[in-house]
Amino acid sequence: APPVLISPAGETTGQWDAQISVDPVDGRTVYAAWLQNKKSDIVVAKSTDFGASWSAVTADHTNAGTDKPILAVRGPDVYVSYNHAQTEYVSASHDGGATFTSVGVSAPSKLGWSLAGGGTVTPDGSVYFAWAGYKNNGGANGPVYLYTSKSADGGRTWTTKQIDASGSPPDCSAYSCGWAFLGAQMTMTSDSGGALYLLWNANSADKAANRIYFARSIDGGATWSAKADVSTAPIGAAHAFPAVAAAGPGRVRIAWMDN
């Protein structure tokens, strides 16, 4: 079908970091999220006719730049996670995206920048996000901690668990890309039985090439399998941009880019 302009409101202030998600309950309600108003607004849009028409609301308005919104939906529950003021935030809706409330997600240690990479809502209503915490703000000269955060009460409170740690990102200045472009990031999904899956890239030494790792949990994120290096590329090859999808129960697909 021809492209549809979801929302013209960003024509003068810009729109970034688009996300899209289909409600797994009905298979037809579509949500989209993005940053707007010079990255100060978190916008969520909804379509109930397979994307032919859309309505949009501002889930959260801030007075500073935000980054990396990640969208997770199931039925009336809609969540979007994003970085603001060096903290990971989540805006939650329980009326199908009509209204939102926002809370900060605490980290085990003080971080300089937080970048979400994936999220999911399981059939029991629990919501999870995976994200990378950079120790130093605005630079690639410190460790990167990889976390999952879970809420079992509709996004009001969160528990955070560290999954892995990585060295600083490889240098990509030759490609004019940002300081975290090739850095560690973690994405996640769940299947119809509620099993959780993580896929992430990380390295063991500052600025070294990243590898791709996989882990799963069958107890709601309380414990995780040992991380598995799933790439057949030779040691020293660079890996980045993980993606994971699952149906179920137990059907999971993973993808990434390497050189």
Side-chain angles (χ1 to χ4, degrees):
V4 173
L5 181 62
I6 295 179
S7 174
E11 290 179 334
T12 59
T13 61
Q15 295 169 318
W16 297 267
D17 292 355
Q19 290 271 298
I20 192 166
S21 183
V22 179
D23 178 10
V25 175
D26 68 11
R28 63 174 292 143
T29 303
V30 189
Y31 291 89
W34 62 88
L35 307 178
Q36 193 168 280
N37 187 21
K38 300 179 180 179
K39 301 183 182 180
S40 290
D41 291 347
I42 309 297
V43 179
V44 176
K46 178 181 181 179
S47 173
T48 58
D49 54 11
F50 299 99
S53 60
W54 295 83
S55 58
V57 301
T58 299
D60 192 67
H61 173 75
T62 73
N63 58 1
T66 56
D67 207 356
K68 297 296 179 290
I70 295 293
L71 187 61
V73 305
R74 179 176 287 274
D77 299 324
V78 183
Y79 301 90
V80 58
S81 181
Y82 50 93
N83 175 82
H84 169 56
Q86 305 178 18
T87 300
E88 195 67 19
Y89 274 80
V90 175
S91 296
S93 172
H94 304 294
D95 53 13
T99 60
F100 285 85
T101 57
S102 304
V103 299
V105 178
S106 61
S109 60
K110 183 174 175 57
L111 300 171
W113 205 253
S114 304
L115 299 175
T120 188
V121 185
T122 50
D124 68 357
S126 299
V127 55
Y128 303 80
F129 285 101
W131 52 284
Y134 282 77
K135 191 65 175 177
N136 294 293
N137 182 29
N141 56 351
V144 186
Y145 300 103
L146 294 158
Y147 300 105
T148 59
S149 293
K150 173 185 179 179
S151 176
D153 59 6
R156 289 184 292 275
T157 61
W158 294 83
T159 57
T160 298
K161 185 180 186 71
Q162 182 177 327
I163 303 297
D164 200 5
S166 173
S168 61
D171 178 34
C172 67
S173 58
Y175 307 102
S176 300
C177 52
W179 56 267
F181 189 72
L182 296 178
Q185 59 179 307
M186 177 177 281
T187 188
M188 74 182 308
T189 191
S190 59
D191 66 20
S192 61
L196 300 168
Y197 304 97
L198 295 174
L199 190 71
W200 71 98
N201 59 296
N203 60 24
S204 57
D206 287 348
K207 301 187 183 303
N210 281 219
R211 298 294 293 181
I212 285 284
Y213 299 103
F214 172 86
R216 70 185 178 105
S217 174
I218 57 174
D219 58 8
T223 61
W224 293 88
S225 62
K227 70 178 185 180
D229 184 341
V230 293
S231 176
T232 58
I235 298 299
H239 295 71
F241 312 123
V244 59
R251 298 202 310 272
V252 59
R253 301 289 185 267
I254 60 177
W256 67 88
M257 183 180 293
D258 67 47
N259 68 347

